[in-house]
Amino acid sequence: MKQRTLSIVKPDAVRAGNAGKIIAEIESHFRIVAMRKLQLSKAQAAAFYAVHAGKPFYNDLVEFMTSGPVVVMCLEGEDAIANYRKLMGATNPEKAEEGTLRKKYAESMSHNAVHGSDAPETAAVEVAFFFPGCDLI
Ligand code: ATP
Ligand code: MG
């Protein structure tokens, strides 16, 4: 089934100059429906990761996600949500499979290079968080 998902190249990967390589790899598997480079405000990052509010890593996560520019993309493809998470690899890069984006580019569990939506409901909310319908081409 054709799906859309939200991808973020996180501040660590942008800072390291890996955004282009990551986007090229993404583009070899998915159609890029929309793309923006931006720096999240504290309020935006807190809202985006609201599902994790109260967890021990939440404040550091918001701090990290606002620490520099990110590249945000809406991706489209067959089973894009699960397939993009497969391409990303496990949250902890030490557990990520060979060849995955996190295995190649993540520095640690908290600085892990990329984000991907985890379900159709969250994908719809996350895509709308960054892109008005008219920008989804
Ligand atoms: P993302 O939502 O960023 O794609 P994910 O879905 O693989 O990652 P989540 O459980 O949603 O993982 O956690 C969101 C982010 O919070 C992770 O990418 C990671 O950077 C951070 N995080 C999650 N668990 C921990 C933890 N135990 N310690 C430190 N950071 C964590
Ligand atoms: Mg998640």
Side-chain angles (χ1 to χ4, degrees):
M1 184 190 35
K2 201 185 249 192
Q3 278 180 334
R4 288 181 175 181
T5 190
L6 188 88
S7 156
I8 304 180
V9 182
K10 293 186 180 182
D12 57 326
V14 174
R15 207 154 28 234
N18 290 327
K21 282 175 273 186
I22 290 171
I23 294 165
E25 201 159 324
I26 286 173
E27 199 178 26
S28 73
H29 297 277
F30 303 95
R31 189 172 82 78
I32 298 173
V33 176
M35 175 157 65
R36 289 173 65 194
K37 183 176 184 181
L38 61 116
Q39 186 153 357
L40 287 163
S41 68
K42 289 266 155 64
Q44 286 172 321
F48 185 80
Y49 277 117
V51 64
H52 296 302
K55 293 186 187 166
F57 58 84
Y58 181 65
N59 288 347
D60 287 347
L61 176 61
V62 170
E63 195 68 38
F64 165 62
M65 288 301 291
T66 58
S67 67
V70 296
V71 178
V72 183
M73 287 169 277
C74 172
L75 310 179
E76 184 178 81
E78 280 301 309
D79 292 321
I81 295 167
N83 281 332
Y84 177 58
R85 284 186 71 89
K86 221 177 277 170
L87 178 65
M88 287 201 303
T91 310
N92 183 348
E94 284 173 19
K95 296 190 179 146
E97 279 184 49
E98 278 311 319
T100 59
L101 294 173
R102 282 172 167 163
K103 184 73 181 185
K104 284 194 259 193
Y105 300 112
E107 296 164 5
S108 63
M109 175 90 163
S110 49
H111 292 48
N112 59 2
V114 283
H115 162 81
S117 308
D118 59 11
E121 299 73 30
T122 48
V125 170
E126 290 179 0
V127 169
F129 189 92
F130 289 105
F131 301 107
C134 60
D135 283 351
L136 298 165
I137 49 175

